[in-house]
Amino acid sequence: MNAAGVEEYLIAVALVLVTVTATVAALTRDPVRQAVVLALLGLCLALLFTFLQAPDVALSQLGVGSVVTPLLILLTVRKVRRTSGPRGGRNGRPKGRRR
């Protein structure tokens, strides 16, 4: 196998990895798991961009797609889950109602 054959093989493997991780990310329902899969998708895309000889795009994808975006998703999920607790007063009853 020559260098061009190896390069094409690596690109094909990276494309399969991107396809699989993107499909898993789209089918995952839990936001926390989806953020983790999204980070893996960013890593696979960075790998693909590296094989396609675009190291600047790969570094950007690594920073934004693998770290910043999943971190923002996790922080948002944490904030939403923290603030969307029980809305009632004591004993789980809504405030303002008396029996």
Side-chain angles (χ1 to χ4, degrees), residues 3-97:
V6 172
E7 193 173 309
E8 289 177 5
Y9 175 75
L10 290 175
I11 291 171
V13 168
L15 280 171
V16 169
L17 284 173
V18 167
T19 304
V20 169
T21 53
T23 303
V24 171
L27 296 177
T28 303
R29 303 290 291 169
D30 182 35
V32 175
R33 289 183 181 162
Q34 200 170 35
V36 172
V37 174
L38 190 62
L40 289 174
L41 176 61
L43 287 173
C44 292
L45 282 169
L47 188 67
L48 175 64
F49 292 141
T50 303
F51 291 150
L52 291 173
Q53 298 177 1
D56 52 340
V57 179
L59 284 173
S60 298
Q61 179 62 37
L62 195 62
V64 174
S66 299
V67 178
V68 175
T69 304
L71 180 65
L72 287 175
I73 291 171
L74 289 174
L75 290 174
T76 304
V77 167
R78 180 179 170 202
K79 179 82 172 177
V80 167
R81 286 186 180 169
R82 185 184 300 167
T83 59
S84 67
R87 296 202 179 265
R90 286 184 289 179
N91 301 328
R93 293 186 202 140
K95 292 181 182 179
R97 282 185 146 183

